[in-house]
Amino acid sequence: FYEISALTMFKGYEVPFTLDNPRYDQTKYWGRVLHFCNMIDPREIFVRQQTVLESKALLKQWKSGQLPEGTPMKDLWAAKKHVDCAIHPDTGDFVPLYGRSCTFTPMNVPLIAGMLLTSPTPINIMISQGLNQSYNALFNWCNRSISQDPAVNQQARKKMEIASVVAVSTAVFLGRVLNRLAEIKIAKLGPNPETFSPMKKMQHFWLRAFVPYLAVCTASSANVGVMRWSDFKCGVTVFDSQEKEVGTSKAAGKLAIYNCIGSRILLPVPILLGPPIILALLNKTKFVQRRPKLNPFISMGVVTGCLALAFPLAIGLFPQRQAVPVTALEPKFQNVVDSGTGKPASTLFYNKGL
């Protein structure tokens, strides 16, 4: 899966080496998916700190034009991958291992498995959602845009704490409400699921599957809303085609948050709805029926596979660098001159974030 870039069908998504952009074309959906596959590669967990520092030195040599003769291009891309995965772009410091993209799948597997493989009781929802949303807030904290102003950083820390509380409270409350509604609907279907018709069995399955899904996507959206509230209230920086800052836009900030929430709504679909469907199909096979002791390992394998696929497929839906017509922005941007063309800009750009 993580060597997918070697396949011929994806060769067209690679771009010439540069320190400013990812390896794959970010204007295309599959280019963005490949980029995030690179970022969540769990092999980066085992890359030593010394290797990252050596990679950083190699990239510095390339930038200064002092790259050793005969250095393969694949070594430059590997070095950039090591640095991008481990070093924070704002501070140049190492990101804690638990906050790196490469640990996203290993950290989430037990959290997601806990939500899927336990009964949706109030205490189980509280524990699983508490751990899940606390990790999400911690991950957002480690990968935040860091200001040099201590007051701004302190405010970001408070947001992380508030985001965890809001997200968990939302998940627990919504989980209890949805679970109660699902129980009422299921009770109307009949007392014994084994005697249900195919249509009723399908209704029973989806009622059970949607409780954790709706709780997670709602809580994750609340998490993003709290963590990115300053973007909504104050706006984000807008650039022209040459990456020159032209101002701060609240309209662009709202669009960035809406896109991030859209990703959070789609992200749990393969994670929470995929495993129940796949496991239900596998449980009907003679191989699984004859080997019941393998069920826990099969369940964890299915959850891990769905999780590893979900992140790049969902986050890659929207480009990191978003284009927006000036007509969708505030009046002050209507007459902005593009520094590249010298003419009034029809489109400006902003960083969406994760």
Side-chain angles (χ1 to χ4, degrees), residues 189 196-205:
L189 295 177
F196 288 172
S197 65
M199 181 60 71
K200 284 189 175 181
K201 286 183 178 180
M202 184 65 69
Q203 291 177 340
H204 181 271
F205 168 80

Side-chain angles (χ1 to χ4, degrees), residues 144-336:
R144 72 196 187 283
S145 176
I146 296 178
S147 169
Q148 297 300 320
D149 185 350
V152 174
N153 290 330
Q154 181 65 25
Q155 186 180 28
R157 186 177 293 107
K158 289 181 179 178
K159 284 181 181 178
M160 182 189 71
E161 297 168 355
I162 295 172
S164 297
V165 174
V166 170
V168 173
S169 301
T170 302
V172 172
F173 172 75
L174 189 63
R176 292 192 65 176
V177 172
L178 292 174
N179 192 43
R180 180 57 181 161
L181 292 175
E183 288 177 351
I184 294 173
K185 291 288 186 180
I186 289 172
K188 292 181 179 180
L189 295 177
N192 187 5
E194 297 296 330
T195 62
F196 288 172
S197 65
M199 181 60 71
K200 284 189 175 181
K201 286 183 178 180
M202 184 65 69
Q203 291 177 340
H204 181 271
F205 168 80
W206 285 114
L207 285 170
R208 286 296 185 194
F210 266 107
V211 171
Y213 166 71
L214 291 176
V216 168
C217 68
T218 304
S220 297
S221 299
N223 201 323
V224 171
V226 174
M227 292 294 293
R228 300 285 298 275
W229 179 251
S230 60
D231 292 348
F232 188 90
K233 185 177 180 181
C234 303
V236 296
T237 302
V238 179
F239 308 86
D240 65 11
S241 63
Q242 302 301 307
E243 301 296 327
K244 180 183 176 182
E245 294 185 14
V246 295
T248 302
S249 169
K250 290 184 180 181
K254 293 177 182 178
L255 291 173
I257 294 175
Y258 296 155
N259 286 337
C260 287
I261 290 177
S263 296
R264 295 306 191 280
I265 292 173
L266 294 172
L267 180 59
V269 172
I271 299 175
L272 296 178
L273 302 185
I277 296 174
I278 296 172
L279 291 174
L281 295 175
L282 289 176
N283 288 333
K284 294 180 179 180
T285 63
K286 292 182 179 180
F287 177 84
V288 175
Q289 290 174 354
R290 292 172 181 173
R291 299 167 177 83
K293 292 183 179 180
L294 292 179
N295 282 340
F297 302 100
I298 293 174
S299 298
M300 291 301 291
V302 170
V303 169
T304 302
C306 291
L307 184 60
L309 284 170
F311 185 83
L313 290 175
I315 301 299
L317 281 173
F318 304 103
Q320 189 80 3
R321 183 176 182 265
Q322 286 273 23
V324 56
V326 294
T327 53
L329 301 178
E330 293 86 343
K332 65 180 179 180
F333 295 104
Q334 304 307 310
N335 297 316
V336 168

Side-chain angles (χ1 to χ4, degrees), residues 3-16 23-25 28 34:
E3 295 295 339
I4 199 171
S5 61
L7 299 178
T8 303
M9 64 181 294
F10 292 109
K11 288 293 185 182
Y13 293 98
E14 293 190 4
V15 298
R23 181 173 186 172
Y24 303 101
D25 188 353
K28 301 175 181 178
L34 289 170

Side-chain angles (χ1 to χ4, degrees), residues 101-159:
S101 297
C102 59
T103 61
F104 180 84
T105 299
M107 291 290 289
N108 271 281
V109 166
L111 302 178
I112 300 301
M115 283 187 282
L116 290 175
L117 305 179
T118 58
S119 301
T121 61
I123 187 64
N124 286 343
I125 292 174
M126 183 177 298
I127 293 173
S128 60
Q129 290 293 346
L131 293 173
N132 183 42
Q133 296 303 328
S134 295
Y135 173 71
N136 286 344
L138 186 62
F139 184 85
N140 291 336
W141 163 260
C142 291
N143 294 278
R144 72 196 187 283
S145 176
I146 296 178
S147 169
Q148 297 300 320
D149 185 350
V152 174
N153 290 330
Q154 181 65 25
Q155 186 180 28
R157 186 177 293 107
K158 289 181 179 178
K159 284 181 181 178

